């Protein structure tokens, strides 16, 4: 049985993951408007991953006898000056998600819920990977320095990314 304090923390993270899905959807819309379909695809995969993360937490709460309580999702930002600014925003966001996962793990450790700590280990490893992927993409974009041909080539590369449902936990 999950304790009330940890259940509340899991519910906060579920909300944060659904916000992340919505956040990436707003970026997907931006890239579609810019006719950058590879970047749009990259954001769609991100969006799908965030939904999977949310549902992983959602199911875990129920498996532990808890109750999922969905809250209102905040409005995401929906305008940027260029693709580089979007990716800088993505990196900031992923770092904030990592901080939230760390806080959730702290709560699991504080409540001595070893099952939750073990379960959340996957999320922490996923965040390390997420930040590294975004940092690599951001460095590539910085190296391009606004070269439209290079941006077009990168866009074609990003179109190849596919969603693979994660095995959470």
């Amino acid at each position: 049985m999950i304790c009330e304090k940890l259940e509340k923390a899991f519910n906060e993270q579920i909300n944060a993951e659904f916000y992340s899905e919505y956040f990436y959807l707003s970026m997907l819309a931006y890239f579609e408007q810019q006719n950058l379909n590879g970047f749009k695809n990259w954001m769609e995969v991100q969006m799908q991953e965030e939904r999977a993360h949310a549902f992983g937490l959602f199911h875990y709460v129920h498996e532990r006898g808890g109750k999922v309580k969905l809250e209102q999702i905040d409005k995401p930002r929906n305008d940027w000056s260029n693709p580089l600014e979007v990716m800088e925003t993505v990196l900031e966001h992923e770092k904030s998600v990592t901080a939230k996962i760390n806080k959730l793990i702290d709560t699991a450790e504080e409540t001595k819920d070893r099952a939750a700590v073990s379960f959340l280990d996957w999320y922490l490893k996923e965040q390390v990977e997420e930040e590294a992927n975004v940092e690599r993409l951001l460095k590539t974009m910085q190296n391009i320095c606004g070269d439209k041909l290079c941006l077009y080539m990168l866009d074609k590369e990003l179109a190849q990314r596919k969603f693979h449902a994660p095995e959470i936990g």
Side-chain angles (χ1 to χ4, degrees):
M1 188 71 163
I2 193 168
C3 75
E4 188 176 319
K5 182 175 185 174
L6 190 54
E7 178 185 291
K8 182 178 187 282
F10 263 90
N11 276 304
E12 289 170 4
Q13 189 63 39
I14 289 167
N15 191 69
E17 298 292 340
F18 280 126
Y19 169 78
S20 291
E21 177 186 15
Y22 200 40
F23 180 74
Y24 285 118
L25 179 59
S26 74
M27 293 177 178
L28 181 155
Y30 167 81
F31 284 121
E32 185 163 19
Q33 183 181 30
Q34 300 302 311
N35 199 34
L36 290 169
N37 293 320
F39 281 90
K40 180 184 105 175
N41 177 68
W42 195 91
M43 292 300 168
E44 185 170 355
V45 171
Q46 284 298 110
M47 190 180 76
Q48 292 170 316
E49 286 184 359
E50 299 303 336
R51 182 182 315 123
H53 297 167
F55 275 107
L57 296 163
F58 184 99
H59 295 303
Y60 182 80
V61 169
H62 284 144
E63 285 175 0
R64 296 291 307 279
K67 181 177 180 181
V68 171
K69 298 173 186 166
L70 300 176
E71 298 291 334
Q72 180 175 333
I73 298 173
D74 293 333
K75 177 182 176 183
R77 179 177 174 184
N78 58 26
D79 63 331
W80 294 269
S81 59
N82 58 56
L84 182 61
E85 184 184 13
V86 174
M87 295 314 296
E88 290 168 344
T89 304
V90 168
L91 183 57
E92 289 172 23
H93 177 73
E94 287 300 334
K95 287 180 177 181
S96 75
V97 172
T98 300
K100 286 178 173 75
I101 294 291
N102 281 326
K103 184 179 173 189
L104 179 56
I105 292 169
D106 289 345
T107 303
E109 289 174 340
E110 179 185 315
T111 59
K112 298 184 181 350
D113 191 323
R114 288 180 181 80
V117 171
S118 177
F119 173 77
L120 292 169
D121 184 57
W122 181 90
Y123 281 85
L124 188 57
K125 289 175 184 171
E126 176 70 6
Q127 279 309 119
V128 168
E129 182 182 316
E130 290 284 341
E131 284 186 32
N133 287 339
V134 175
E135 284 177 347
R136 280 192 294 275
L137 180 53
L138 187 54
K139 285 178 184 174
T140 298
M141 292 177 72
Q142 290 166 338
N143 288 335
I144 287 172
C145 297
D147 183 312
K148 292 187 188 244
L149 179 58
C150 290
L151 184 65
Y152 173 78
M153 292 169 58
L154 180 58
D155 188 61
K156 292 295 179 196
E157 181 182 323
L158 295 177
Q160 304 306 310
R161 186 177 187 211
K162 304 282 186 228
F163 174 69
H164 302 284
E167 292 184 32
I168 297 172

